[in-house]
Amino acid sequence: MQTEALRLRQMMKCRTGPASVLAIASGKGGVGKTCIAANLGTCLAASGRKVLLIEGDMSLGNIDVILNINSKYNLWHMLSGRKSLEEIIHLTPEGLEVICGVSGFEQLANLNEFQRRRLLNDLSRLQENADVIIIDTASGISKSAIGFCLAADDVLVVTTPEAPAMTDAYATIKVLAGNRFAGRISLIVNMAETIAQGKKTYQQIARVAKRFLDVHVYDAGVLLRDERMIAAVRLRKPVVLAYPKAQISMSLMALAAKLGNGLATLPSGKRFFKKVVDWFF
Ligand SMILES: Nc1ncnc2c1ncn2[C@@H]1O[C@H](COP(=O)(O)OP(=O)(O)OP(=O)(O)O)[C@@H](O)[C@H]1O
Ligand SMILES: [Mg+2]
């Protein structure tokens, strides 16, 4: 019996194709994208998946702070030939692989054909070797943020119940729809005062997106405002590790389980990096 259980577990971990790609986006800044990305990545890695978290935000990125990473290297160091792919990947104690502050993509236009091919080969290897890739994109509707989202299988838009954040979340969904994004769009409401307020926020955005854009926005859930999220950032730890029994941690674990299952049902995120590279030309 025990052997069967073990076999099943191994089968469930078996990968059948390249990693699925989840991009975390928002219009407005400071709504909790990086906190959510770090916690989801940690939960998914703890569940046995091979997860790569890429910070797509160079100027304001702070994933290194939240995950207590002292990595000085990013994708640009690899692009310029100064570091290998392995050297720019940081591994957290929970087994989450992280690439910090990816400013390199904007420089792609300067590469020659040989460099571009080499880069694509290396990046494709990343996708072949992971189960899930999470991209923490920059706030706003910049070219790079949209490029990452359009290449992903699933875009998780983060908003808060405040009107400016809602308007900007809708604007992000509108740009995705305008660019004929073919993947799934989910919305998570963070820093809600109550679950009811969070649900209402989701319904308002989903209704408008359906009516004016004919886009179905999936409900990824509600995260309440919780002082422990702020305390965990101060401790430089994901809240799911710093306060595993807190309500916010339970909600994040549930979200990770839901997203993990959802990603498994999506068609494999083929050639994510090829799409990203093409976008920058
Ligand atoms: N549920 C929450 N409850 C309380 N505070 C929160 C919550 N989620 C995030 N925060 C706080 O909000 C701050 C900003 O979060 P975070 O850096 O993840 O936002 P962001 O969307 O990535 O910002 P940026 O747009 O600058 O990248 C965090 O430092 C954290 O303290
Ligand atoms: Mg951020």
Side-chain angles (χ1 to χ4, degrees), residues 109-124:
N110 301 326
L111 299 183
N112 63 34
E113 190 55 31
F114 173 77
Q115 288 171 312
R116 199 150 43 107
R117 282 216 186 143
R118 201 200 64 179
L119 168 75
L120 265 178
N121 281 343
D122 283 353
L123 292 175
S124 304

Side-chain angles (χ1 to χ4, degrees), residues 6-206:
L6 268 174
R7 201 178 301 137
L8 180 65
R9 243 173 60 189
Q10 292 215 317
M11 278 167 64
M12 288 185 64
K13 281 189 193 176
C14 249
R15 276 179 282 126
T16 52
S20 305
V21 182
L22 170 70
I24 303 192
S26 75
K28 192 172 176 300
V31 295
K33 288 181 301 299
T34 304
C35 286
I36 292 171
N39 280 285
L40 286 184
T42 301
C43 291
L44 288 170
S47 74
R49 290 179 176 86
K50 193 156 188 272
V51 187
L52 174 65
L53 174 54
I54 301 180
E55 185 176 48
D57 182 350
M58 183 61 179
S59 48
L60 294 165
N62 57 349
I63 207 116
D64 52 335
V65 176
I66 290 175
L67 289 170
N68 200 16
I69 292 173
N70 295 312
S71 169
K72 293 189 286 293
Y73 305 119
N74 62 47
L75 190 74
W76 179 238
H77 292 95
M78 187 195 108
L79 281 178
S80 54
R82 275 177 265 172
K83 293 285 161 198
S84 70
L85 187 57
E86 285 69 27
E87 284 173 305
I88 64 163
I89 297 178
H90 185 94
L91 190 66
T92 72
E94 292 67 45
L96 173 64
E97 293 185 346
V98 186
I99 296 182
C100 291
V102 179
S103 67
F105 281 103
E106 282 85 351
Q107 314 292 337
L108 286 172
N110 301 326
L111 299 183
N112 63 34
E113 190 55 31
F114 173 77
Q115 288 171 312
R116 199 150 43 107
R117 282 216 186 143
R118 201 200 64 179
L119 168 75
L120 265 178
N121 281 343
D122 283 353
L123 292 175
S124 304
R125 239 185 329 129
L126 283 181
Q127 195 176 4
E128 289 300 328
N129 291 334
D131 296 319
V132 182
I133 294 177
I134 300 176
I135 314 279
D136 176 22
T137 71
S139 304
I141 317 175
S142 65
K143 183 166 173 154
S144 67
I146 292 301
F148 284 128
C149 290
L150 289 176
D153 304 301
D154 196 340
V155 176
L156 181 63
V157 179
V158 183
T159 187
T160 69
E162 288 170 14
M166 289 173 68
T167 313
D168 288 359
Y170 176 72
T172 304
I173 296 167
K174 191 172 172 187
V175 172
L176 292 177
N179 281 279
R180 299 185 202 298
F181 175 61
R184 187 173 61 175
I185 301 175
S186 315
L187 184 78
I188 183 150
V189 182
N190 188 25
M191 302 193 218
E193 299 306 331
T194 61
I195 296 287
Q197 184 199 36
K199 283 199 160 75
K200 194 172 158 208
T201 303
Y202 162 76
Q203 281 158 0
Q204 283 176 327
I205 294 176

